[in-house]
Amino acid sequence: MAKVKIASEWLTGCAGCHMSLLDLDERLVRLAEAIEITSSPITDLKHTHDVVVGILEGCVANSANVDVAKQMRQNCQILVALGDCACLGGVPTMRNPLSCEEVLRRAYVETESTVDGAIPDDDELACLLSQVRPVHEVVKVDVSLPGCPPSADAIYFALSELLAGRIPVIAGDNLRYD
Ligand code: SF4
C-alpha cells in the first residue's frame, strides 16, 4: 500500500511544537509504516508536491512565512495548523502593538546583538509583516490543533484520524499548555 505523504514546515515560533512531534517516540515508528515524510524542518528533504497532509507550526510574521504557507496550501490536500502560534498567532503577537521599525529598533539597537547595533537591511532578508497573523488568516486551514505545544497524544490522535480518512476533533481535555 502506498504511504501517505506528509510535509511539515515551521513559520515563526519556537520549534516546541515540532519537539512535541518527536515526543511520539516509538509511535513514530508505527506511523512510519503508513507515512512518508517528504519535507521537514529537521531534515534536508524539501519535496512538498502531491502531499496529503501538510503541517504548519508557527504564525505568519514575515514575507517568507507567507510564501511557505501559500506553497503548503497549494501542494497539500489537508493543511493542519499545529500549536497556538499557528492557530491563533500565539506569543509572537505580543509585537503587534508596535510598528515594524520599533520592533527592529528594540531588537537590534536597544538590545545587545551580534550586529553592532545596526538593523540588517540585506535584500535577501524576509520583510516583517506589520502584524503577526495566524495561518488561517493567510491561507485556508483544514484542521486546527491548538496547545503550546500540543501534546504528543493529541498529535498522534490527529494524525491517526487523518490517516483513517477522518477530520480529527480534539477533546478539550487533550489540550496542553506547558
Ligand atoms: Fe512554541 Fe508554543 Fe508557538 Fe508551538 S505554540 S511554536 S510551542 S510558542
Side-chain angles (χ1 to χ4, degrees), residues 12-18 57-59 82-86 89-92 147-150:
T12 294
C14 76
C17 292
H18 272 90
E57 171 198 301
C59 58
L82 178 66
D84 267 26
C85 290
V91 175
C148 183

Side-chain angles (χ1 to χ4, degrees), residues 93-147:
T93 59
M94 289 173 70
R95 79 148 164 94
N96 280 357
L98 305 175
S99 68
C100 291
E101 293 73 24
E102 180 71 3
V103 170
L104 293 169
R105 193 174 59 76
R106 290 192 184 189
Y108 289 102
V109 180
E110 294 179 4
T111 306
E112 235 177 89
S113 79
T114 56
V115 290
D116 253 354
I119 297 173
D121 62 353
D122 190 323
D123 288 344
E124 297 286 314
L125 293 175
C127 295
L128 289 184
L129 301 184
S130 60
Q131 296 281 287
V132 169
R133 300 160 76 188
V135 175
H136 70 83
E137 288 187 7
V138 178
V139 294
K140 179 175 172 281
V141 166
D142 303 297
V143 176
S144 294
L145 183 46

